[in-house]
Amino acid sequence: MGKHLELLQGTLDMLILKAVSLGPLHGYGVLLRIQQISGDQLEIQQGSLYPALYRLEHQGLIASDWGESENNRKARFYRLTTAGRKKLQKETENWNRMADVIGAILSRETEEA
Amino acid sequence: MRLTAPFRSWWKALAHRREMEAEVEAELQFHVERYAEDMMRNGMSREEALRHARVELGSIAVQQEKNRFSRGLRPWDDLQADVRYAFRQLRHAPAFTITVLLVLTLGIGANAAMFSIIDATLLHWLPYRQPSQLVSLYLLDDHRDISWAYYQDLKEWQRRSQRLQEIAYYDAFEGFLETKSGQEQVSAQSVSSNIFSVLGVQPERGRTFLASEQTSGNNKVIILSEPVWRIMLHADPDVVGKTVRLNDQPYTVVAIMPLGFAFPANDHDPQVWVPAELTPAHQKPTLDWSAPRYQVIGRLRSGATPSAAGAELSGIEGRLVSQYPEEMKAELPPARAGAMPYRETLVKDSRTALLALIAAVSIMWLIACANVANLMLARGMARQREIAVRGALGASRWRVVRQLFTESLILSALGSAAGLALSQLALGIFDRTLRTQLNLPGRLVPNPAVLGALLALSVVSAVLCGLFPAWLAARAPLEHSLRQSTMQAGGGRTRQRLQQAMVISEIGLSLVLLVACGLLLRTVFALRRVPLGFRTDHVLMLQPKLPRYKYRNIDTNRTAYQPLLQRVQALPGVSSATITTLLPLRKGFGAVLTLNVQTDKKSTAPPVQIDAQLKAAGPELQDILGLRMVRGRFFSQQDTPDSQLVAVVNRTFEKLYMPAGDVMNYGIGLGKGRLAKIVGVIDDFHQTSIDRPAFPEIDFCGPQLRATDGVYQPTLLAHVEIAMRTQTGPEQLVPALRRTMLEVNPDLQAGEIQTMEQVVEDSMGNQLLAAHLLEVFAGSALLVALAGLYGLLAYLVAQRTREMGIRIALGAQRHKIIEMLLGQAGRLLLAGAAMGIVLSYAAARLIASFLYGVKPHDVGTMLAVTALLLACGLAAAYVPARRASRVDPLEALRTE
């Protein structure tokens, strides 16, 4: 395993939304998917995953149902709501713009008089 | 969508907490197992994998906590914790809790009772549509006395007024309804056909009157109130369209009004309404004194005020007056119409009494709040250490304040509940008196408005007595209180000053109530000692009542009352009895004669006018009431119909008549050559009420009067009572009298019997009620204030146990310590008393109209009450002072 990146403040919510936008997932699945997409580069504090899920559910951005897991056990599956989809879209746009701006600033070579 | 989601999640978390927690646990369990499985695939042992997974996720309890936080439940959980903690705290200090609850119960209970009364009177729920638009319309005379409006005038008002939507009129008459059980008395009103539309009320069944039903021949229709229909007619379902007999006339029932409807609103007897018949007298083009008059009620157009309507009607009336006949014009001032909200006409008499009582309860409540605040302050001081510890453990100041505030909110909520119960109890006890004195409809039950006011009151109480002490407690610097022990904590100068200020105001406010109570008690005492001028013991009065419609053209005196009198005189136990047309202190019918007395034949000065009450009575009245003669004689058995007509005047009359000479030289002409010679002057007594002076009076000898005499009609035909002197307790005769009335004439069954003592008591009603209520308030206020003083001193002394111990160890005399502490209490008491005297000086004005025989600023009362307060205060202070002087120095020093 390579060196893990620390998750930036406030980005966990966005990642969860993205993860469940690809299809309903249970909590552990969310964790796995984020790790998988990031190519194991991101480390997520397991203790903060569920509070984030509950917060998003409370805000109505994701919804949950009980269902069967891949090995036939009962598990809670989260899926994106319409409100969540809108939110994800907006957050993604914001993030991209922010990343561009920051990237542009940081890539600037020394000032040429 | 975005908004409902949080609510749904809150609801789920609050209502299905256990279920939600189980779900979270299952979910986390699943997570741990899946994670462990993955790790076991990498070769870890199961146990180690599980342990590892659990550690990484964190404890389930913490996750549950975070879950609740994520769902925004933190404030709710804190509140629950606060409430639980508050209850625990209150349980641990039972003496404090009980005292506070008692004080709050008294303070809030008195207010709850008062709110109920105010709600039922001043705010008066009226069973009409938009009752605030309804106004009473009337005429005003020279002395701003109210009189009813002439039909011709009110027709003109109706035609010309822009500010009033509609005007209706009504008049009461005595009604007897024929029912299965005989003739039953009802309160009957003849009304204009539009009255129900003005009031905005539809009948429960049937229809309202038609305009054509006010004309003769069509007017025999009747509308029944719900109680008449239900009780007197046994809720006959088909009564509409049937005929009932009212005053022996057939009326067709056209409607039943809904339950709760009453008009006039302050009449609590069963009511019926019939159309006011328009007679030729209504249509006469010119007015005279006998023109028909009515009480008038109107509905304002939206935006119009009663005073604007009054001004408008006065303008209209001004033009009408110019067309009045000359002799009427002379008596009528130019602007003479008024309008008053209908609601106000119902309460105008008891308004002052109610306002005074509101002031009393408010003071009482303030005292209670100050007292509780004081107790809270003292308790806050004792808990300083605990609060400091909580602060040190990370509780924010806001959190501490909230915790303390929760406690006071709980206390005041409990106090409110107990207060509500207490108020219901008190209202039950005073129910009868309140209903007769304030004219209340039925029993008082708390309604949403009263409960709402009570809720507001308890929150305000909690804020007043809890928030400030809590803020002070939370503000105290941490290290300071932590370093010191509780017993040493001096509690800061600000706090001590504040506590003292509150004790002083409590004492001051209590003094106000005590002074008011003292003044009213002196009034009652003075009223009782007023020489009435007549005897009240062993006197019974019987007021016979005959249905007027049956006896309209019959000489009731000859046919009914004389035979009754003869039977009464013959009853064993009655030593003498007579018919009299006026009895002292009775609100009966009074005929007034106006005499013009020319002082000097030659003088051009206008004649002196004497208004005198007329009375006819038999010679026995002197013995029955023990009337004293100033000069001459009263009537005797020798004054027979055939002998010289005689009359007697009272001393007030004699004095007024003095300029014309000695009354005994005059006689009073009764017309047709009959002249009554004045044979005596009786001493004055209070005729109308105890607190009013005697009124000039002329008495005729009843047995001498003939039906043809001018004074016969306004006296013996108008209103008659039978007064009797009894040998035994007057109450014992009541059953025999009732039997006699029925035997003489079954129509007499409605007669009223009262002892003279009862009449005197009733005449003092207002003052008695106010005095009783104030006794209650002042007594409770005194108790509460004393409890406050005692509590504070006891507390302060306990705080200073160590200091007292050292003083005693150093050789201080025990009585010196008592003196010192009493001195401190005395200073508080004196300051409070000074403040109270200033306040009562202002407050006494409020009750001035209730006082009799004592001035509002009576020095004696003030001094006596102040002395009482000081004495009680010192007694309350003595107990803790004595305890302090008994402190064992070794014990006190060892408490550290």
Side-chain angles (χ1 to χ4, degrees):
Chain A
M1 270 191 231
K3 212 177 166 198
H4 288 304
L5 283 172
E6 284 284 324
L7 200 56
L8 281 175
Q9 281 269 292
T11 48
L12 180 59
D13 287 9
M14 198 164 62
L15 294 183
I16 294 175
L17 289 179
K18 180 68 193 172
V20 295
S21 75
L22 305 171
L25 287 172
H26 48 69
Y28 186 63
V30 171
L31 202 70
L32 288 182
R33 181 163 293 169
I34 293 175
Q35 274 173 350
Q36 176 208 338
I37 304 176
S38 75
D40 272 344
Q41 295 210 55
L42 274 179
E43 169 134 61
I44 292 170
Q45 291 292 319
Q46 295 202 10
S48 55
L49 172 69
Y50 286 94
L53 282 170
Y54 299 144
R55 187 166 58 242
L56 291 170
E57 191 184 15
H58 179 69
Q59 289 164 358
L61 300 176
I62 56 176
S64 68
D65 302 291
W66 286 88
E68 295 266 301
S69 76
E70 49 286 9
N71 49 8
N72 297 332
R73 267 188 294 183
K74 263 184 69 136
R76 178 139 67 172
F77 284 87
Y78 295 90
R79 61 186 158 74
L80 207 60
T81 63
T82 324
R85 195 167 301 282
K86 272 188 211 144
K87 173 90 171 166
L88 176 63
Q89 204 174 351
K90 224 177 104 199
E91 291 281 300
T92 314
E93 274 166 29
N94 277 352
W95 176 264
N96 287 338
R97 275 177 56 200
M98 181 64 81
D100 285 351
V101 172
I102 304 232
I105 295 171
L106 295 180
S107 64
R108 191 66 173 253
E109 298 293 317
T110 40
E111 202 79 27
E112 286 156 26
Chain B
M1 187 69 197
R2 287 296 292 274
L3 256 176
T4 51
F7 282 115
R8 232 180 298 136
S9 121
W10 268 329
W11 172 245
K12 193 178 162 195
L14 290 177
H16 309 285
R17 177 173 185 156
R18 198 154 296 161
E19 201 176 302
M20 193 188 74
E21 286 182 348
E23 279 186 3
V24 168
E25 198 171 338
E27 186 172 21
L28 295 176
Q29 195 60 40
F30 170 79
H31 179 106
V32 166
E33 275 166 28
R34 279 297 314 272
Y35 190 28
E37 276 166 25
D38 282 355
M39 282 190 282
M40 276 151 68
R41 232 169 272 141
N42 290 343
M44 221 181 263
S45 76
R46 182 179 162 79
E47 250 146 74
E48 199 179 346
L50 280 176
R51 195 183 57 84
H52 202 79
R54 280 204 194 100
V55 168
E56 220 171 308
L57 192 60
S59 91
I60 293 204
V62 169
Q63 286 286 335
Q64 292 279 19
E65 186 79 3
K66 282 186 181 165
N67 168 34
R68 294 185 69 75
F69 187 76
S70 295
R71 293 180 194 269
L73 291 173
R74 182 67 180 278
W76 171 257
D77 288 349
D78 282 357
L79 179 70
Q80 268 194 325
D82 279 352
V83 170
R84 257 201 314 274
Y85 188 70
F87 270 111
R88 203 184 309 149
Q89 283 294 330
L90 295 177
R91 254 206 319 276
H92 285 168
F96 165 81
T97 310
I98 288 169
T99 320
V100 168
L101 279 184
L102 231 99
V103 167
L104 279 177
T105 303
L106 278 177
I108 292 178
N111 272 274
M114 213 51 224
F115 274 141
S116 302
I117 294 174
I118 291 164
D119 183 64
T121 52
L122 285 188
L123 306 176
H124 221 298
W125 180 79
L126 291 173
Y128 316 125
R129 180 170 57 83
Q130 287 185 283
S132 52
Q133 284 183 346
L134 294 175
V135 282
S136 291
L137 308 169
Y138 43 81
L139 297 178
L140 286 169
D141 71 5
D142 282 331
H143 314 292
R144 298 198 69 76
D145 279 336
I146 286 171
S147 64
W148 294 8
Y150 292 101
Y151 175 76
Q152 281 89 337
D153 287 355
L154 71 91
K155 274 288 154 197
E156 209 58 23
W157 295 354
Q158 203 157 30
R159 217 161 54 80
R160 297 200 202 165
S161 170
Q162 302 294 314
R163 301 228 157 88
L164 292 158
Q165 294 179 27
E166 213 178 346
I167 290 176
Y169 50 95
Y170 57 102
D171 184 11
F173 64 96
E174 194 184 59
F176 285 85
L177 188 71
E178 198 174 289
T179 66
K180 281 188 182 130
S181 47
Q183 299 272 334
E184 289 195 66
Q185 192 164 4
V186 291
S187 157
Q189 305 281 336
S190 55
V191 299
S192 61
S193 58
N194 65 344
I195 193 135
F196 298 102
S197 102
V198 168
L199 297 174
V201 180
Q202 285 298 313
E204 181 74 37
R205 282 186 224 181
R207 56 160 179 91
T208 53
F209 295 132
L210 309 173
S212 60
E213 282 167 342
Q214 280 195 258
T215 51
S216 305
N218 298 329
N219 63 328
K220 292 291 182 253
V221 287
I222 189 168
I223 292 181
L224 309 175
S225 65
E226 201 270 351
V228 166
W229 169 70
R230 184 165 36 85
I231 299 164
M232 296 191 180
L233 301 175
H234 308 287
D236 177 358
D238 307 316
V239 76
V240 173
K242 280 192 183 167
T243 301
V244 294
R245 294 188 80 81
L246 179 74
N247 292 355
D248 241 6
Q249 304 257 346
Y251 283 85
T252 308
V253 177
V254 297
I256 303 166
M257 292 311 286
L259 177 65
F261 175 84
F263 183 82
N266 52 354
D267 171 11
H268 309 309
D269 292 327
Q271 295 175 321
V272 298
W273 301 270
V274 300
E277 185 185 355
L278 296 179
T279 60
H282 287 76
Q283 317 298 350
K284 257 197 275 181
T286 53
L287 271 180
D288 57 54
W289 293 121
S290 66
R293 295 174 146 206
Y294 289 99
Q295 300 197 63
V296 188
I297 186 167
R299 183 174 284 280
L300 292 173
R301 278 188 203 286
S302 55
T305 61
S307 56
E312 185 193 44
L313 293 188
S314 293
I316 298 170
E317 193 58 34
R319 286 195 294 279
L320 294 176
V321 170
S322 58
Q323 292 157 25
Y324 277 13
E326 279 309 314
E327 83 269 14
M328 286 177 80
K329 228 189 281 181
E331 294 244 341
L332 297 164
R336 14 154 277 140
M340 186 196 281
Y342 180 63
R343 191 193 305 271
E344 253 171 57
T345 57
L346 302 173
V347 291
K348 58 181 189 304
D349 295 334
S350 42
R351 211 187 168 86
T352 341
L354 284 171
L355 289 178
L357 286 177
I358 293 172
V361 282
S362 311
I363 291 177
M364 165 87 201
W365 177 64
L366 276 180
I367 294 175
C369 280
N371 204 330
V372 171
N374 233 345
L375 287 166
M376 294 284 232
L377 261 183
R379 189 167 150 73
M381 207 191 303
R383 284 173 61 183
Q384 214 162 41
R385 218 175 139 84
E386 172 215 325
I387 290 165
V389 168
R390 296 186 66 191
L393 290 178
S396 67
R397 190 157 291 168
W398 159 235
R399 193 78 181 67
V400 172
V401 169
R402 207 174 64 184
Q403 165 61 41
L404 295 176
F405 185 60
T406 310
E407 275 185 44
S408 55
L409 206 58
I410 287 173
L411 280 173
S412 88
L414 291 177
S416 298
L420 188 66
L422 181 77
S423 68
Q424 284 307 296
L425 200 73
L427 287 178
I429 293 169
F430 285 111
D431 192 38
R432 257 187 60 97
T433 337
L434 286 172
R435 250 190 295 167
T436 48
Q437 293 303 321
L438 300 175
N439 198 12
L440 295 178
R443 183 144 170 62
L444 291 167
V445 281
N447 62 13
V450 173
L451 292 178
L454 192 63
L455 190 71
L457 196 66
S458 67
V459 170
V460 176
S461 310
V463 170
L464 278 186
C465 46
L467 210 48
F468 192 58
W471 180 74
L472 261 189
R475 214 183 57 133
L478 279 183
E479 338 79 88
H480 185 69
S481 4
L482 276 179
R483 226 181 296 126
Q484 285 189 323
S485 78
T486 351
M487 281 303 170
Q488 276 176 317
R493 290 192 83 77
T494 348
R495 193 183 304 206
Q496 261 180 24
R497 290 243 171 81
L498 189 73
Q499 283 182 315
Q500 289 174 352
M502 272 193 282
V503 167
I504 289 172
S505 17
E506 270 178 55
I507 293 170
L509 289 172
S510 316
L511 189 70
V512 174
L513 285 185
L514 283 174
V515 166
C517 178
L519 288 174
L520 275 165
L521 285 179
R522 296 247 341 226
T523 297
V524 172
F525 193 60
L527 285 176
R528 286 201 199 284
R529 292 224 324 212
V530 166
L532 293 170
F534 55 87
R535 287 173 66 182
T536 59
D537 61 294
H538 293 95
V539 178
L540 205 57
M541 3 224 289
L542 190 164
Q543 190 188 339
K545 278 186 182 161
L546 285 173
R548 206 162 289 160
Y549 75 92
K550 264 193 181 177
Y551 293 83
R552 185 155 289 142
N553 296 311
I554 298 171
D555 185 343
T556 45
N557 181 39
R558 294 272 145 78
T559 56
Y561 302 145
Q562 299 276 10
L564 177 63
L565 176 66
Q566 279 156 23
R567 289 288 301 273
V568 168
Q569 280 170 333
L571 271 181
V574 173
S575 54
S576 58
T578 182
I579 285 180
T580 173
T581 59
L582 269 182
L583 262 175
L585 307 181
R586 262 282 238 246
K587 288 180 194 114
F589 180 88
V592 173
L593 184 73
T594 304
L595 300 172
N596 286 315
V597 180
Q598 195 81 42
T599 43
D600 187 348
K601 291 255 160 59
K602 281 162 262 168
S603 107
T604 51
V608 178
Q609 218 178 53
I610 303 179
D611 289 336
Q613 271 185 350
L614 284 185
K615 182 165 89 184
E620 299 88 350
L621 193 68
Q622 185 182 20
D623 167 53
I624 295 166
L625 292 180
L627 299 176
R628 281 187 301 273
M629 301 305 295
V630 181
R631 287 187 301 142
R633 65 170 180 92
F634 199 69
F635 311 132
S636 72
Q637 299 297 342
Q638 277 76 52
D639 297 319
T640 60
D642 307 315
S643 66
Q644 162 70 46
L645 264 176
V646 291
V648 162
V649 296
N650 69 352
R651 189 195 274 211
T652 305
F653 185 94
E654 187 198 20
K655 266 189 228 145
L656 284 173
Y657 204 80
M658 201 69 92
D662 187 355
V663 279
M664 301 278 280
N665 299 331
Y666 289 81
I668 296 160
L670 298 184
K672 302 195 183 78
R674 279 165 66 79
L675 186 84
K677 185 175 162 28
I678 295 175
V679 293
V681 177
I682 54 172
D683 207 359
D684 286 340
F685 59 84
H686 297 268
Q687 293 128 317
T688 51
S689 96
I690 300 177
D691 49 6
R692 287 211 197 118
F695 195 79
E697 185 177 312
I698 303 172
D699 297 354
F700 294 101
C701 183
Q704 284 190 317
L705 292 182
R706 292 184 196 155
T708 50
D709 287 331
V711 295
Y712 191 76
Q713 198 275 333
T715 55
L716 288 169
L717 276 190
H719 179 88
V720 154
E721 308 212 26
I722 294 178
M724 65 204 87
R725 170 156 291 280
T726 61
Q727 284 153 357
T728 53
E731 292 87 356
Q732 295 166 14
L733 270 170
V734 174
L737 278 172
R738 290 230 166 267
R739 264 198 315 278
T740 311
M741 283 200 288
L742 274 179
E743 280 166 26
V744 172
N745 187 341
D747 286 337
L748 282 168
Q749 62 169 333
E752 272 177 36
I753 305 172
Q754 249 186 326
T755 64
M756 194 68 213
E757 269 146 5
Q758 190 58 51
V759 173
V760 173
E761 200 78 348
D762 283 356
S763 156
M764 292 195 285
N766 268 324
Q767 280 90 353
L768 273 182
L769 175 71
H772 282 326
L773 287 174
L774 268 176
E775 274 164 37
V776 173
F777 288 136
S780 336
L782 183 64
L783 264 180
V784 166
L786 289 182
L789 186 68
Y790 170 81
L792 183 71
L793 286 173
Y795 182 77
L796 291 179
V797 165
Q799 295 276 293
R800 290 166 68 183
T801 311
R802 196 176 144 91
E803 178 201 325
M804 295 305 152
I806 294 174
R807 279 174 191 267
I808 292 168
L810 290 179
Q813 295 289 309
R814 288 179 193 270
H815 69 90
K816 284 276 178 209
I817 286 186
I818 294 189
E819 272 166 33
M820 180 186 78
L821 288 172
L822 283 187
Q824 285 172 355
R827 275 198 290 280
L828 291 183
L829 281 167
L830 281 178
M835 175 187 148
I837 287 172
V838 174
L839 283 179
S840 2
Y841 206 75
R845 284 226 201 105
L846 198 63
I847 56 162
S849 63
F850 292 95
L851 300 182
Y852 176 83
V854 55
K855 287 204 187 70
H857 304 132
D858 182 66
V859 179
T861 311
M862 291 253 186
L863 285 181
V865 165
T866 312
L868 173 77
L869 184 77
L870 290 178
C872 291
L874 282 178
Y878 181 73
V879 183
R882 205 173 110 94
R883 196 183 308 141
S885 74
R886 295 280 167 91
V887 164
D888 177 359
L890 281 178
E891 196 74 23
L893 291 173
R894 220 183 286 131
T895 41
E896 281 314 292

